[in-house]
Amino acid sequence: MELAFIPFLVIGLVIFFSSFFTVKQQTAVVIERFGKFISIRNSGLQLKIPMIDRIAGRVNLRIQQLDVIIETKTKDNVFVKMKVSVQFKVIQEKVYDAFYKLEYPHDQITAYVFDVVRAEVPKLKLDDVFERKDDIAIAVKRELNEAMMAYGYDIINTLVTDIDPDIQVKNAMNRINAADREKTAAEFESEAQRIRIVAKAKAEAESKRLQGQGIADQRREIARGLVESVEVLNNVGINSQEASALIVVTQHYDTLQAIGADTNSNLILLPNSPQAGSDMLNNMVASFTASNQIGETMKNQPKRAKKKHDNTATDYNPSDTSNPA
């Protein structure tokens, strides 16, 4: 008799324990009774009527991500592949709508993403697509929120994570970028070259200015030295013409000595004989004497003055006090 109750006892224990179930954190369980919705159970240990109530489904309340890859065309007729990542979750207060109103939420979200992206991207050129990808993501999020909120889904964020044009277009963009960078580099190199040229020209101008100043100072000192040399020679009885000739001859031989001291010099002075110095000195003394005589003659020559009554001129002697008229 006792053995006959054992099966019933086992069945009773199974039914008893089947009335208990657990719900994980961030999960909601939908309970149905004979196919009709009864309640939604949250995380923890829960109780249901065995053989009458059943678990219809479990709904994930955590944030989920759906990656949608779309191929579309830009305004400048370039085909691009875009990857849009949609982050969404089920609203805890709307688990009923999420479970019963929408059977395939991923397909629904994908359809809306396709619709929005293919409406927005053809309005933009390829470069604008890269620059305004955030605007595209905002448009997708706005459209999805309006549509999915009625089904119990909240769109947390949408991100355009990849924009992949055709390989030929990418190569062309890379060439354009490389050419632009080469142009910029050439401009910088030209500017640097201009700065170097200007700096070199300024340095050369400053060098020439200093060189000219040095030559002027040198000649000034040479002239001062010549004056002193003439004064010294005058003190020993040598007149100015002879002193000047002697100084010129001395400079002539100093020049010959400087030329001969240079081992790489190929300069030849013709004629250049031992008596050339003596001839030069005599010629210079003679020329200085002749020039002085001409100067004295011109000083003593009477000036010519016009008569009062006619246009003829007579010699005018300053020492003559008589009246020419």
Side-chain angles (χ1 to χ4, degrees), residues 92-217:
Q92 191 168 1
E93 293 77 12
K94 295 185 177 182
V95 174
Y96 177 87
D97 294 334
F99 186 77
Y100 285 102
K101 287 186 177 181
L102 194 60
E103 184 173 6
Y104 300 109
H106 288 187
D107 294 343
Q108 188 82 356
I109 292 173
T110 300
Y112 277 106
V113 172
F114 267 81
D115 181 66
V116 175
V117 171
R118 288 184 172 174
E120 294 292 331
V121 173
K123 301 177 183 178
L124 306 173
K125 293 184 179 180
L126 181 60
D127 293 338
D128 295 334
V129 173
F130 284 93
E131 294 176 1
R132 300 178 57 183
K133 67 182 186 65
D134 292 338
D135 296 339
I136 298 173
I138 292 173
V140 172
K141 181 181 178 181
R142 182 175 59 249
E143 186 72 18
L144 282 175
N145 262 331
E146 293 176 358
M148 300 301 294
M149 189 66 69
Y151 301 111
Y153 286 87
D154 181 24
I155 305 301
I156 305 299
N157 202 1
T158 56
L159 303 172
V160 179
T161 56
D162 189 21
I163 301 174
D164 187 18
D166 185 78
I167 185 64
Q168 295 181 356
V169 177
K170 286 196 292 186
N171 292 336
M173 293 175 66
N174 290 333
R175 290 196 299 271
I176 292 173
N177 189 26
D180 184 64
R181 291 181 181 275
E182 289 177 358
K183 177 183 176 182
T184 303
E187 291 176 354
F188 278 108
E189 290 178 357
S190 300
E191 181 65 17
Q193 184 68 18
R194 186 188 69 81
I195 293 173
R196 286 194 293 266
I197 292 173
V198 171
K200 183 178 179 181
K202 289 182 178 180
E204 290 179 355
E206 182 67 15
S207 175
K208 291 181 183 296
R209 186 185 68 82
L210 295 176
Q211 183 179 3
Q213 183 177 353
I215 293 173
D217 294 340

Side-chain angles (χ1 to χ4, degrees), residues 81 95 178 235 321:
K81 287 184 179 180
V95 174
N235 292 332
T321 58

